[in-house]
């Protein structure tokens, strides 16, 4: 059974803290993604990575950074957490086909982050 | 700006009826199309994917794709209360990342 696992289901952090969200996949997928999901705004792409040590900005990268030191692990870092980063964070992975077609994205269970 | 549009709903149907969910997309180069179901507080899970024009059936679900009209739909036959969820349409333009629609909230009434 394929798995994308996020390190925390719920997290409460204080304003200004550095926050690490971890994601691990066991499917040997090349592509990994971080999204945030807010009511009325849908899924918004923060960063993605298509290979180890490679990263690309998504639609809303401000205030975030990422790290991918190993193929199976993709970390999202909030450098200095702010209340407007309170959200549901979803990690996903997908296989790189190299043929221009996208394959299914598998999602982790999500991390609901509250910044107080 | 690549866009995927869906009616936000809620779409209410009685139990046993057919639910029809619609999605339009702006990028004509899109190659891959996905429907995800998301229960409240949970992460999205794949229902169906479709790559070619026409219909694709899987159990009670049918995905329909019309690339000329840039339209993809999901039909749910014999709707059940357990189908009540938000349905996300996702489109992958050629060689690019997923573009998700805002989702349609479906409510199946017993």
């Amino acid at each position: 059974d394929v798995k994308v696992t996020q390190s925390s289901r719920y997290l409460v952090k204080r304003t200004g803290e550095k926050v690490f969200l971890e994601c691990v996949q066991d499917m040997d997928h090349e592509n990994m993604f971080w999204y945030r999901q807010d009511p009325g705004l849908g899924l918004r792409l923060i960063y993605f990575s298509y290979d180890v040590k490679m990263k690309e900005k998504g639609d809303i990268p401000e205030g975030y950074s990422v790290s991918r030191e190993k193929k199976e692990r993709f970390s999202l870092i909030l450098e200095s957490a702010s209340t407007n980063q309170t959200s549901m964070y979803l990690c996903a992975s997908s296989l790189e086909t190299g043929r221009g077609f996208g394959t299914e994205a598998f999602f982790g269970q999500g991390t609901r982050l509250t910044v107080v | 700006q690549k866009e995927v549009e869906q009616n936000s709903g809620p779409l209410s149907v009685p139990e046993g009826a057919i639910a029809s969910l619609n999605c339009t997309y702006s990028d004509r180069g899109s190659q891959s199309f996905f429907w995800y179901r998301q229960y409240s507080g949970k992460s999205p899970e794949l229902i169906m994917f479709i790559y070619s024009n026409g219909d694709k059936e899987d159990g009670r679900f049918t995905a329909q794709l019309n690339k000329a009209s840039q339209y993809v739909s999901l039909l749910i036959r014999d709707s059940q209360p357990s189908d009540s969820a938000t349905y996300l349409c996702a489109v992958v333009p050629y060689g690019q990342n997923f573009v998700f629609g805002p989702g349609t909230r479906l409510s199946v009434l017993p």
Side-chain angles (χ1 to χ4, degrees):
Chain A
D1 197 17
V2 298
K3 267 246 172 89
V4 179
T5 304
Q6 294 182 229
S7 54
S8 302
R9 187 75 178 90
Y10 299 95
L11 213 50
V12 179
K13 295 292 182 181
R14 294 194 180 278
T15 300
E17 276 193 79
K18 192 168 185 175
V19 181
F20 293 86
L21 302 183
E22 306 286 345
C23 175
V24 177
Q25 51 97 0
D26 65 0
M27 296 166 282
D28 202 33
H29 283 171
E30 291 82 7
N31 301 328
M32 296 189 75
F33 309 86
W34 275 106
Y35 294 91
R36 64 177 284 178
Q37 188 175 34
D38 302 286
L41 296 177
L43 278 164
R44 292 182 292 168
L45 182 64
I46 305 171
Y47 267 96
F48 67 98
S49 169
Y50 52 88
D51 201 352
V52 175
K53 297 191 185 294
M54 304 302 289
K55 59 185 179 185
E56 295 283 345
K57 293 180 180 179
D59 300 319
I60 52 163
E62 295 78 20
Y64 303 94
S65 62
V66 290
S67 173
R68 192 165 181 201
E69 296 297 317
K70 293 185 178 181
K71 189 176 185 179
E72 67 270 19
R73 187 179 297 270
F74 192 35
S75 303
L76 179 69
I77 303 152
L78 285 66
E79 298 291 343
S80 177
S82 64
T83 55
N84 63 13
Q85 292 179 310
T86 292
S87 186
M88 169 72 93
Y89 289 87
L90 289 161
C91 175
S93 74
S94 73
L95 188 63
E96 175 55 53
T97 65
R99 293 177 290 149
F101 286 84
T103 60
E104 175 188 359
F106 293 86
F107 285 87
Q109 76 275 29
T111 296
R112 187 164 292 283
L113 172 67
T114 302
V115 182
V116 298
Chain B
Q1 179 82 7
K2 298 176 178 59
E3 293 183 350
V4 176
E5 296 185 350
Q6 299 178 254
N7 189 324
S8 62
L11 173 67
S12 296
V13 299
E15 185 174 354
I18 295 175
S20 177
L21 304 164
N22 303 315
C23 172
T24 58
Y25 59 94
S26 63
D27 191 318
R28 284 196 171 274
S30 298
Q31 300 279 334
S32 313
F33 307 86
F34 303 85
W35 282 100
Y36 285 84
R37 177 178 63 199
Q38 187 175 24
Y39 293 113
S40 181
K42 304 292 186 182
S43 59
E45 56 180 335
L46 184 74
I47 298 295
M48 299 227 21
F49 64 88
I50 186 167
Y51 295 148
S52 304
N53 275 327
D55 294 0
K56 180 181 179 182
E57 188 174 318
D58 184 1
R60 295 187 296 112
F61 299 96
T62 298
Q64 299 174 318
L65 175 61
N66 184 326
K67 289 186 178 180
S69 300
Q70 295 175 238
Y71 175 96
V72 57
S73 66
L74 179 70
L75 301 178
I76 306 174
R77 288 182 299 282
D78 188 24
S79 295
Q80 301 297 309
S82 58
D83 295 326
S84 298
T86 296
Y87 289 80
L88 303 174
C89 172
V91 174
V92 182
Y94 184 88
Q96 299 187 42
N97 285 319
F98 298 90
V99 181
F100 285 89
T104 297
R105 191 154 53 94
L106 173 66
S107 178
V108 180
L109 307 173

